Amino acid sequence: MAEPADDVQVKVASDAAEKFVESYYPALNNPKGRAHLADFYIKPTEASPLQADITLNGNTVADPAQLQSIFETQVAKAQYEVQSFDCQVINTNYNVGVDSTKLGPNKDGKKMSILVMVSGSVKYFKESTDGETRGFTENVVLVPNWEAQGPKAPKGLKKWLIQSQTFRLVL
Amino acid sequence: MKGDSVIITASPEDIEQISKLNNFMFAGATLRIKAYERGSTPPSAGSEEKKAVSQSAQETKEKFRAILATRYDGNLKLLNLSALAQDAGLLEMGFGTFDGKTTSKLFPALMVVADQLFKTWQEKRDAIVSVSLANNGLSDVSGVTALAQTFPDIKNLDLSSNNFKDLKSIASWRWKFRSLETLVLSNNPIETQEPNFNVEIMKWFPRLQNLNYVQVRTPEEVAATLEAVNTPIPISGPDFRDVSQVGENFIRQFVALYDSDRNALLSSFYDAESVHSIAINMSAPRNREHSTPVPGWDAYMKHSRNLVKLTYAGPRLNRRYKGIQAIQQVWSELPATRHPDLATESAKYLIECHPLPGLADPSGQNPGGVDGLIITMHGEFEEQNTSTEKALRSFSRTFVLGPGAPGGSPIRVVSDMLGLRAWAPLAMPSNQANIATQAPPPNVNIEQQQKEAMAGQLMEKTGMTMEFAVLCLEQTGWQLPQAFDAFQQNRDKLPPNAFIAGIAG
């Protein structure tokens, strides 16, 4: 197998980034969606113990479960709006968590890691008080969800998962 | 709004600019833009009628101005609109009570004239801090609701000695006057008919400190409440987890060289596989206290890879710059910059860094991947080649750094992603955040950051919509959200002839 061509890289990365912004922020805005936030992140396994690296406003978050609990308990209501996003392929042949017999590249871009940077606004609410409109920048690194690949993969799984996330209010 | 037409007021200089958009294609339609003199009506009206209306409207306006002048106290910054029914000048113009048909037009018209006395929102905010509507026999706010559109930022409002019976009668101001600190509702039936009104009113206005001459919150309590709402996840100092100072050293060199010698920067850290892109967020919210006009984005536009806007595969590919040559070409076209000094102006930055596994190994020795760093720098820069105007931009820039190829620089830039937005001061770590547990990056002045954070939390923030900007900007002093808001609200609430030209009609 060969490395993915440039146009394939851009297409696959853009689609992954688009899918991310179109599902992640609505999940934050919807109190019901928050119950599934942890599903957006990589899960450490015996073969691949890597844990998602999450930082919110400079606070290190231990794991996706803690992130989910922060949103479920600390953030009463929020309205995130994505105003801009961009993405780049970091590695065309990402191999963390890949069996040592399958380290070769994939020409369809299924083994890439992708950097996404999002810029937008957010407004928080609590009881009947509405907060001010703030600005945020967030970057995430998306990596393949290996479980969603292959002929026997269950349907409906996310194709890309968050490996690294840095969120900050910039206004 | 008249049918398909939008009528706006603009200064002569702006008219010249706006007129350039004549015959522009916008949203599938061709825009026709023509200038009309002040006080004239749109071309549908006959020219004779136009003249008469114009003169009459002008007279009405002058009368309003005279009335406003007598009711303004410059020392108190108070616009006293109490007991309007007893105002001789207004009586002459047909003002009776707020329930009358004429009156329902008069008050919005008075507000329009009041609004036109100010060139910018800032000027208006500075001049009018308090408004009294006492003694006006008001049974609800529907007749005076234009006050909330014209003076949304007032801090003190006197509604005493009216006929407000319940919360419903003032409910349409539930989400207005977001800066209100003092409210007087005494001598209204609501006091006795709705004994718990004060509890509800306090919820409505989160900054309210005095209600009916009683202190209901201290400024500290207001600040704490707002802080809790605005920042449910506390803002801490930067999370800077460096490895052997690689991140720190890179940032130091990057900031210095990007301003002074971009080619040297490229040859030091970039290679044939480095990727760079730029995305502009033109809708980024801005701080009301820092609302300088946004310098044009012309120099960046053709490079912007904001994928919200850029939806076609071709441009998405073409605006991703790979390799030194491609990046060099772009950087040579971008304005020269000056970034604040990292050592002496560190409070203008927030830089975060942590290790990132799974990067490609350029030496080929580790097919499973190698570790690198991901760095995000939030800050600002000043453009150097704009002749007189100081063009400040805010940015966030993410770098992925990895080990270099054998024989080259030990550190290479894998990704360099630049996000640009209109300038606004950075939200700095708050007092409450547990800064002690964070490892601050070198040279960060925490005390200064805290001060800025406290100041920042008391400031108003707001959003903007670009499509309306061209039309409304100058009129509202480059306050984009208010421009949009004011335009929307006036359009809905006022019939076309409720504007100046219609008052006399």
Side-chain angles (χ1 to χ4, degrees):
Chain A
M1 288 286 257
E3 292 277 337
D6 276 5
D7 59 337
V8 173
Q9 288 183 34
V10 168
K11 172 86 170 71
V12 173
S14 307
D15 288 350
E18 213 155 57
K19 192 99 182 175
F20 167 74
V21 299
E22 285 169 6
S23 56
Y24 190 78
Y25 297 99
L28 295 182
N29 292 343
N30 176 355
K32 285 180 193 156
R34 293 174 180 180
H36 306 287
L37 280 180
D39 297 351
F40 282 91
Y41 298 81
I42 55 167
K43 289 169 197 66
T45 60
E46 212 171 310
S48 173
L50 185 65
Q51 177 75 263
D53 194 319
I54 307 168
T55 305
L56 303 181
N57 285 339
N59 309 291
T60 313
V61 178
D63 53 33
Q66 196 195 349
L67 174 116
Q68 183 170 316
S69 129
I70 288 172
F71 275 93
E72 286 177 320
T73 58
Q74 266 174 259
V75 186
K77 189 181 162 199
Q79 187 60 48
Y80 288 83
E81 187 198 340
V82 174
Q83 294 161 330
S84 168
F85 72 96
D86 190 4
C87 67
Q88 291 176 7
V89 175
I90 295 174
N91 188 352
T92 51
N93 188 23
Y94 177 81
N95 275 321
V96 177
V98 174
D99 189 279
S100 61
T101 59
K102 295 173 183 166
L103 296 179
N106 175 288
K107 70 172 171 53
D108 299 321
K110 290 184 176 171
K111 289 186 70 180
M112 305 191 305
S113 59
I114 303 159
L115 170 66
V116 184
M117 185 156 74
V118 181
S119 173
S121 69
V122 58
K123 200 168 173 171
Y124 297 106
F125 304 80
K126 193 179 189 181
E127 286 146 13
S128 65
T129 304
D130 57 323
E132 293 153 335
T133 303
R134 312 200 63 159
F136 74 88
T137 297
E138 172 152 70
N139 65 51
V140 298
V141 174
L142 299 175
V143 299
N145 182 3
W146 305 120
E147 281 181 30
Q149 295 192 3
K152 282 183 235 160
K155 289 216 179 338
L157 288 180
K158 290 181 180 20
K159 284 187 183 159
W160 303 94
L161 298 174
I162 300 169
Q163 181 220 48
S164 156
Q165 175 180 30
T166 311
F167 172 92
R168 189 169 272 280
L169 290 174
V170 292
L171 176 78
Chain B
M1 293 279 287
K2 278 205 167 187
D4 293 330
S5 306
V6 178
I7 298 151
I8 62 162
T9 315
S11 67
E13 305 87 74
D14 288 333
I15 287 172
E16 196 181 312
Q17 289 298 315
I18 295 168
S19 298
K20 289 179 185 165
L21 293 175
N22 192 22
N23 295 328
F24 231 68
M25 285 294 291
F26 180 76
T30 307
L31 298 178
R32 304 272 178 224
I33 296 172
K34 286 183 179 171
Y36 292 100
E37 289 306 310
R38 178 180 287 264
S40 73
T41 53
S44 55
S47 61
E48 286 303 309
E49 187 193 346
K50 180 165 42 174
K51 212 171 189 177
V53 168
S54 163
Q55 196 181 355
S56 170
Q58 196 57 41
E59 282 169 14
T60 306
K61 199 162 158 180
E62 290 307 325
K63 282 183 195 164
F64 275 144
R65 280 192 180 164
I67 290 163
L68 287 167
T70 62
R71 288 174 165 274
Y72 178 62
D73 183 331
N75 292 326
L76 295 175
K77 299 186 174 182
L78 165 71
L79 182 60
N80 187 348
L81 301 176
S82 64
L84 291 174
Q86 275 102 61
D87 190 294
L90 282 171
L91 276 175
E92 195 186 299
M93 294 168 75
F95 190 94
T97 67
F98 273 99
D99 301 320
K101 214 178 175 187
T102 319
T103 304
S104 65
K105 278 187 180 181
L106 268 180
F107 192 82
L110 185 66
M111 287 295 105
V112 170
V113 174
D115 192 48
Q116 288 174 347
L117 296 172
F118 305 101
K119 287 195 191 73
T120 64
W121 279 78
Q122 188 60 50
E123 198 182 298
K124 186 162 75 177
R125 256 197 307 274
D126 291 345
I128 296 181
V129 175
S130 307
V131 171
S132 172
L133 278 171
N135 266 307
N136 276 313
L138 296 165
S139 55
D140 63 60
V141 293
S142 60
V144 291
T145 189
L147 183 77
Q149 279 114 53
T150 309
F151 299 108
D153 301 320
I154 55 169
K155 291 184 173 171
N156 309 301
L157 177 61
D158 186 353
L159 295 175
S160 63
S161 302
N162 280 293
N163 199 25
F164 296 117
K165 290 191 181 63
D166 48 24
L167 286 164
K168 215 178 126 197
S169 60
I170 44 176
S172 64
W173 282 351
R174 162 75 182 83
W175 295 101
K176 310 291 182 188
F177 303 117
R178 303 319 287 165
S179 307
L180 203 64
E181 293 175 2
T182 304
L183 178 64
V184 185
L185 270 168
S186 55
N187 203 15
N188 277 287
I190 191 172
E191 282 186 294
T192 49
Q193 298 193 12
E194 215 159 316
N196 284 326
F197 78 98
N198 50 347
V199 178
E200 194 62 23
I201 291 285
M202 278 180 67
K203 285 190 200 161
W204 289 11
F205 303 107
R207 286 175 186 74
L208 196 69
Q209 293 174 35
N210 293 284
L211 179 58
N212 289 356
Y213 311 107
V214 175
Q215 185 175 46
V216 292
R217 286 190 191 102
T218 63
E220 293 74 24
E221 282 170 333
V222 169
T225 306
L226 290 176
E227 163 72 13
V229 175
N230 280 330
T231 321
I233 302 166
I235 300 184
S236 294
D239 172 35
F240 202 85
R241 283 174 275 144
D242 206 349
V243 175
S244 311
Q245 289 187 297
V246 165
E248 183 189 333
N249 289 334
F250 170 77
I251 290 297
R252 284 189 197 290
Q253 295 195 57
F254 179 87
V255 169
L257 287 175
Y258 188 80
D259 288 347
S260 63
D261 190 348
R262 290 177 187 168
N263 288 340
L265 179 63
L266 282 167
S267 57
S268 303
F269 294 106
Y270 293 69
D271 62 22
E273 300 297 317
S274 301
V275 177
H276 174 59
S277 58
I278 303 165
I280 308 173
N281 177 1
M282 292 207 202
S283 319
R286 301 197 69 200
N287 190 313
R288 223 188 251 189
E289 308 295 322
H290 296 90
S291 51
T292 43
V294 184
W297 292 106
D298 306 17
Y300 303 91
M301 267 317 289
K302 68 170 181 170
H303 301 296
S304 179
R305 199 168 183 269
N306 175 355
L307 299 183
V308 171
K309 311 276 179 198
L310 202 71
T311 52
Y312 292 105
R316 283 181 169 187
L317 177 61
N318 297 338
R319 293 185 187 183
R320 153 205 178 262
Y321 306 113
K322 187 174 175 184
I324 290 183
Q325 269 189 314
I327 300 171
Q328 187 172 37
Q329 176 65 34
V330 177
W331 285 2
S332 69
E333 293 172 19
L334 296 182
T337 51
R338 191 192 76 81
H339 287 72
D341 185 77
L342 271 171
T344 60
E345 298 175 271
S346 61
K348 288 179 177 168
Y349 290 98
L350 279 164
I351 307 172
E352 315 207 80
C353 170
H354 65 247
L356 187 73
L359 303 182
D361 179 6
S363 75
Q365 287 175 359
N366 301 285
V370 291
D371 285 0
L373 288 175
I374 182 164
I375 303 176
T376 305
M377 170 164 58
H378 307 284
E380 64 183 51
F381 63 77
E382 194 182 314
E383 281 173 15
Q384 293 300 286
N385 53 358
T386 44
S387 50
T388 47
E389 294 280 310
K390 191 170 110 162
L392 263 182
R393 315 264 184 204
S394 281
F395 73 91
S396 294
R397 196 162 191 156
T398 299
F399 301 96
V400 174
L401 303 182
S409 158
I411 303 296
R412 61 180 288 263
V413 170
V414 178
S415 279
D416 168 1
M417 194 181 279
L418 175 61
L420 295 171
R421 57 186 181 271
W423 181 81
L426 272 179
M428 284 295 170
S430 55
N431 233 2
Q432 287 82 352
N434 190 0
I435 292 162
T437 64
Q438 303 298 324
N443 294 318
V444 167
N445 183 337
I446 288 173
E447 195 191 347
Q448 194 173 343
Q449 289 193 353
Q450 286 174 344
K451 283 180 187 163
E452 292 198 16
M454 281 183 270
Q457 280 148 25
L458 293 168
M459 295 171 183
E460 290 286 333
K461 288 138 198 165
T462 186
M464 71 178 188
T465 304
M466 279 307 290
E467 282 79 5
F468 284 81
V470 176
L471 296 174
C472 295
L473 268 176
E474 181 61 25
Q475 200 186 9
T476 48
W478 296 91
Q479 290 281 346
L480 292 175
Q482 281 97 334
F484 181 60
D485 206 29
F487 179 74
Q488 285 286 81
Q489 285 174 350
N490 282 318
R491 186 180 61 180
D492 291 344
K493 297 232 163 71
L494 300 177
N497 59 353
F499 291 94
I500 292 304
I503 293 166

